[in-house]
């Protein structure tokens, strides 16, 4: 007969596994009713033995009580924004500037290409695999502490799914509100005579800046990771794409449209392909993000005053207000 603590730990492990399957892989193996049964079993055990409750338990997603204000967080590594291009020629000029700065002829530079989600950039810090802090990008140097709100977002793991987590790992990503959640939110707001949001990005921003996590929890936000900031006690893969796959393997959600493109033609093909898919992705994007895949090259290229030399956002032409 396993001890009470073993039963609790076993239930937590099972629930984390099913959260990962459902929220990150989109491949649930049990019906929601079974997940709820396990969740309530854990909740009951923890309620009858509160001394065993830990902050990283799946039951601890919603913060205790609302905050009265947000504290500030200084980013140890600045969160920079991206330079933009708006047509093929400008993109090709971007690539040429890169090639002029790299010694060898880089005819076929490999780019890691992804849709540019239209949400809010955040920083999420894991220490020894446990989510300890989350912050908005803010002005790039200082952001707001939104840890309690981020903990309520279902596809963000409270604990990394790995047996040997890095001492410190800062995940950077975009938090967004899918179209379905946005429509439901505005429908309910209308029904209650409350104000509606103009677009999913504003709705996500408003939902993250809630002082009461119980409100944030109802907003069905999602994260897609796009990079790594602080990384201590771990040897990172040496390409951007492999780093994203590594995050994904530990339970961090990554956008499934991301792919590697060798050379300008393939990148432009990716851009047009995402533009075609845009109307039915189920969430707002405002372009693509194209990054030199090789980390050593990224480091060689460095940053211009405010943005990396090694990455560019190739935006879509401005569209009349998105009718979601
Ligand atoms: C470096 C950087 C900065 C902002 C970003 C923003 C997005 C985005 N909005 O999806 C994706 C990225 O790969 C980004 N990468």
């Amino acid at each position: 007969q396993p001890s009470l603590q073993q039963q609790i730990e076993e239930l937590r492990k099972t629930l984390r596994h099913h959260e990962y399957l459902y929220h990150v892989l989109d491949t649930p193996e049990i019906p929601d009713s079974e997940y709820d049964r396990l969740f309530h079993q854990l909740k009951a055990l923890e309620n009858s033995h509160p001394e065993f409750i830990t902050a990283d338990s799946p039951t601890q997603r919603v913060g205790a009580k609302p905050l009265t204000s947000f504290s500030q967080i200084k980013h140890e590594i600045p969160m920079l924004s991206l330079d933009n291009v708006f047509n093929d020629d400008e993109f090709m000029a971007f690539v040429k500037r890169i090639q002029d700065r790299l010694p060898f002829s880089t005819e076929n530079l490999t780019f890691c290409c992804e849709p540019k989600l239209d949400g809010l950039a955040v920083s999420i810090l894991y220490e020894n695999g446990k989510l300890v802090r989350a912050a908005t990008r803010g002005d790039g140097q200082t952001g707001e502490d939104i840890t309690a709100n981020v903990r309520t977002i279902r596809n963000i793991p409270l604990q990394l799914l790995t047996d040997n987590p890095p001492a410190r790992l800062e995940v950077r990503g975009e938090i967004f509100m899918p179209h379905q959640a946005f429509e439901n939110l505005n429908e309910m707001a209308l029904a209650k005579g409350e104000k509606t949001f103009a677009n999913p990005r504003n709705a996500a921003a408003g939902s993250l800046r809630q002082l009461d996590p119980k409100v944030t929890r109802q907003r069905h936000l999602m994260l897609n990771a796009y990079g790594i900031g602080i990384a201590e006690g771990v040897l990172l893969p040496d390409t951007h794409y492999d780093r994203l796959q590594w995050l994904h393997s530990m339970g961090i959600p990554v956008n499934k449209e991301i792919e590697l493109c060798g050379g300008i033609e393939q990148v432009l093909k990716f851009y047009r392909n995402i533009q075609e898919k845009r109307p039915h992705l189920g969430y707002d994007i405002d372009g693509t993000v194209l990054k030199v895949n090789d980390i050593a090259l990224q480091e060689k290229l460095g940053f211009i005053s405010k943005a990396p030399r090694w990455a560019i956002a190739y935006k879509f032409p401005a569209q009349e207000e998105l009718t979601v």
Side-chain angles (χ1 to χ4, degrees):
Q1 171 66 4
S3 77
L4 186 76
Q5 238 166 327
Q6 280 164 329
Q7 283 175 54
I8 284 178
E9 205 32 60
E10 200 46 45
L11 275 169
R12 285 176 182 161
K13 211 160 159 239
T14 306
L15 286 164
R16 284 187 194 111
H17 172 64
H18 289 299
E19 276 181 3
Y20 176 60
L21 290 176
Y22 182 92
H23 288 291
V24 181
L25 300 186
D26 286 345
T27 56
E29 283 171 2
I30 57 172
D32 296 2
S33 56
E34 172 60 7
Y35 178 85
D36 292 348
R37 189 185 67 74
L38 292 166
F39 186 91
H40 293 124
Q41 196 179 340
L42 173 59
K43 194 86 181 131
L45 282 177
E46 288 180 346
N47 286 347
S48 52
H49 301 276
E51 67 278 15
F52 291 146
I53 293 177
T54 56
D56 64 325
S57 171
T59 61
Q60 302 306 303
R61 275 194 181 278
V62 187
K65 56 194 181 313
L67 295 170
T68 51
S69 69
F70 292 109
S71 50
Q72 300 286 303
I73 298 235
K74 178 135 182 55
H75 299 298
E76 291 177 34
I77 300 173
M79 288 182 75
L80 301 175
S81 52
L82 297 168
D83 257 348
N84 300 327
V85 295
F86 294 91
N87 60 52
D88 291 4
D89 289 345
E90 289 177 4
F91 173 67
M92 286 188 273
F94 161 75
V95 176
K96 176 138 181 21
R97 285 197 302 276
I98 288 176
Q99 287 173 327
D100 291 351
R101 298 184 72 89
L102 295 176
F104 51 92
S105 85
T106 47
E107 274 323 292
N108 245 13
L109 256 182
T110 300
F111 285 88
C112 181
C113 303
E114 57 191 83
K116 185 174 181 301
L117 280 81
D118 195 3
L120 272 92
V122 295
S123 154
I124 303 173
L125 182 64
Y126 289 87
E127 286 182 347
N128 299 315
K130 298 187 184 339
L131 196 165
V132 293
R133 192 224 69 201
T136 60
R137 177 180 172 280
D139 62 5
Q141 303 291 343
T142 307
E144 287 177 328
D145 184 331
I146 51 168
T147 309
N149 290 342
V150 163
R151 292 174 64 87
T152 70
I153 299 173
R154 296 304 195 305
N155 80 335
I156 298 177
L158 297 179
Q159 185 176 37
L160 297 177
L161 296 178
T162 169
D163 297 334
N164 57 334
R168 293 178 83 217
L169 177 72
E170 179 194 4
V171 173
R172 292 179 168 190
E174 198 82 1
I175 288 182
F176 62 98
M177 184 180 290
H179 288 162
Q180 188 59 59
F182 174 69
E183 284 155 22
N184 297 346
L185 175 63
N186 270 356
E187 223 171 278
M188 284 209 300
L190 269 178
K192 290 191 277 186
E194 288 165 3
K195 78 174 175 65
T196 56
F197 290 97
N199 56 54
R201 193 202 166 287
N202 290 3
S207 303
L208 276 180
R209 268 203 285 275
Q210 281 294 327
L211 288 168
D212 182 357
K214 287 183 182 55
V215 176
T216 309
R217 191 176 190 284
Q218 310 303 331
R219 299 293 175 86
H220 301 287
L221 297 173
M222 294 184 76
L223 168 82
N224 273 180
Y226 64 64
I228 292 172
I230 303 159
E232 290 169 10
V234 60
L235 193 59
L236 294 175
D238 54 15
T239 70
H240 182 72
Y241 185 82
D242 289 348
R243 292 185 176 194
L244 295 181
Q245 298 313 315
W246 174 65
L247 292 178
H248 189 256
S249 75
M250 293 192 295
I252 301 287
V254 171
N255 192 282
K256 63 183 193 308
E257 305 294 338
I258 294 176
E259 59 184 65
L260 288 178
C261 298
I264 290 180
E265 279 324 303
Q266 275 195 25
V267 172
L268 295 178
K269 198 162 137 256
F270 174 85
Y271 173 82
R272 301 206 206 303
N273 177 37
I274 295 294
Q275 196 165 22
E276 265 168 43
K277 286 184 170 180
R278 186 183 191 188
H280 37 265
L281 284 173
Y283 47 86
D284 278 354
I285 62 172
D286 58 355
T288 59
V289 177
L290 313 164
K291 295 179 174 178
V292 169
N293 192 44
D294 182 289
I295 298 295
L297 289 187
Q298 287 186 11
E299 285 165 359
K300 195 184 282 285
L301 291 163
F303 298 81
I304 305 168
S305 62
K306 66 176 180 64
R309 269 206 190 87
W310 41 267
I312 199 76
Y314 185 167
K315 310 285 282 277
F316 294 137
Q319 204 177 30
E320 69 287 343
E321 259 320 289
L322 280 181
T323 47
V324 286

